[in-house]
Amino acid sequence: MEACPRPELFDFCGVSMTSYFTKNWEKVQAFQARPDDIVIVTYPKSGTTWVCYILDLLYFGCSQERDASLYLHERVPFLELAMPDYPYGTDELEKLPTSPRLIKTHLPVQLLPKSFWEQKCRVVYVGRNPKDNAVSYFHFDRMNSLQPEPGDWNSFFHRFLDGNMVFGSWYDHVSGWWEKKQSYSNLLYLFYEDLVEDTGRELGRLASFLGLAPSAEDRQQIREKVHFDSMKNNPMTNGSTDHILDLSVSPFMRKGKVGDWKNHFTVAQNEVFEEHYLLKMKNSTVAFRTAL
Ligand code: PPS
């Protein structure tokens, strides 16, 4: 397999993107949603894998046979993925035998294909505080050969503030989806920090949003399987067989904590960040916790 070059960022409908998520755009925009599709939406590095796995187990059970034989990305295809040597997300979704289909996307609200709205699909959004989100994204870009070169932490930090990231500005993403929630009732907006604080409680919120009633035993089993340590040791979820990820640079399941930003942000960066945050988010009521 030939090594692919690290991609360039370019402006795509006002959002920074790489070709690995735009190459199949015609098919993405024409995607035919079904009324029972469940869409899991996140800005990258906000807990996507975690919530995809929770939903998969809630819907399709914890049987060892299924759980040990299918990678999570096969169970929950990534809609806009169009990378070399990977099946395109839209093709994977068309072949998916399960019902409902669980669909992962990182698209900002204005780019979600319109049939999801027409079909009134349920949407689960997961947001994560921007400081930990930026740190997680930095380490991901270091170890993922199909992401742009991250450069050093300081230059990455400034790019994050400027929204020059794959999938654009964190600020626009979290506030755009928060705004949508005010008018679209089939949207559950979760926070990574709440999941860390009390996974069982958030599992309950998810189940009731989806109209599911897992038994106490099922809930317990799911909680065990989706614990950070279990997912880190699980080849179906830990990225260990993904050839574009170099786990010797940084693990895909890296720390799973709230507050790791304190190990990266300098005092000066934190001051710049806080001031910039107030400006960028002055019109949004969404609120994040940077510590528990
Ligand atoms: S991606 O590549 O966008 O799909 O990444 P994503 O899954 O959204 O985010 C990865 C971060 O989520 C953490 N993670 C978890 N934290 C706690 N518990 C569980 N079970 C869990 N699963 C994934 C993962 O470790 C990444 O965060 P960091 O801070 O880098 O550790």
Side-chain angles (χ1 to χ4, degrees), residues 45-50 128 136 192 226 228 253-256:
K45 313 318 290 179
S46 305
T48 330
T49 315
W50 198 2
R128 184 178 193 183
S136 182
Y192 178 91
V226 306
F228 181 80
M253 299 289 302
R254 196 182 59 89
K255 287 203 175 165

Side-chain angles (χ1 to χ4, degrees), residues 100-281:
R101 298 185 296 189
L102 303 177
I103 304 175
K104 161 182 166 174
T105 179
H106 289 315
L107 291 173
V109 66
Q110 72 278 16
L111 295 185
L112 194 76
K114 66 176 187 320
S115 72
F116 288 110
W117 306 123
E118 289 164 356
Q119 298 294 342
K120 301 195 168 48
C121 295
R122 271 176 290 201
V123 177
V124 176
Y125 187 85
V126 192
R128 184 178 193 183
N129 84 70
K131 297 182 182 180
D132 285 324
N133 206 142
V135 167
S136 182
Y137 212 163
F138 172 63
H139 290 293
F140 184 64
D141 283 6
R142 290 173 54 233
M143 57 87 84
N144 185 336
S145 62
L146 292 188
Q147 284 286 106
E149 283 288 354
D152 64 13
W153 163 244
N154 192 48
S155 60
F156 188 89
F157 169 83
H158 285 285
R159 263 182 53 216
F160 185 89
L161 264 52
D162 294 341
N164 256 333
M165 313 290 298
V166 186
F167 292 100
S169 154
W170 176 92
Y171 306 89
D172 294 348
H173 207 284
V174 298
S175 56
W177 279 100
W178 181 257
E179 188 62 31
K180 186 73 189 177
K181 177 181 113 76
Q182 315 310 320
S183 58
Y184 186 78
S185 58
N186 265 357
L187 197 162
L188 178 70
Y189 200 110
L190 297 177
F191 293 93
Y192 178 91
E193 292 72 28
D194 292 348
L195 277 155
V196 172
E197 183 178 66
D198 190 340
T199 310
R201 179 191 64 210
E202 299 306 298
L203 188 68
R205 291 186 66 207
L206 266 168
S208 90
F209 172 69
L210 299 166
L212 302 173
S215 66
E217 197 188 328
D218 288 344
R219 281 176 193 237
Q220 182 55 28
Q221 229 184 337
I222 295 174
R223 280 175 59 183
E224 282 164 21
K225 277 187 176 276
V226 306
H227 189 275
F228 181 80
D229 297 336
S230 314
M231 286 181 65
K232 191 174 173 74
N233 290 321
N234 181 350
M236 301 297 136
T237 56
N238 66 12
S240 55
T241 57
D242 198 331
H243 68 279
I244 62 167
L245 305 180
D246 185 346
L247 302 193
S248 68
V249 173
S250 179
F252 178 71
M253 299 289 302
R254 196 182 59 89
K255 287 203 175 165
K257 296 259 184 283
V258 180
D260 187 41
W261 63 271
K262 291 177 190 159
N263 299 315
H264 293 74
F265 279 52
T266 63
V267 172
Q269 282 171 342
N270 199 36
E271 281 169 9
V272 169
F273 188 94
E274 293 287 344
E275 199 177 324
H276 177 260
Y277 186 90
L278 290 178
L279 267 177
K280 293 293 287 185
M281 299 298 276

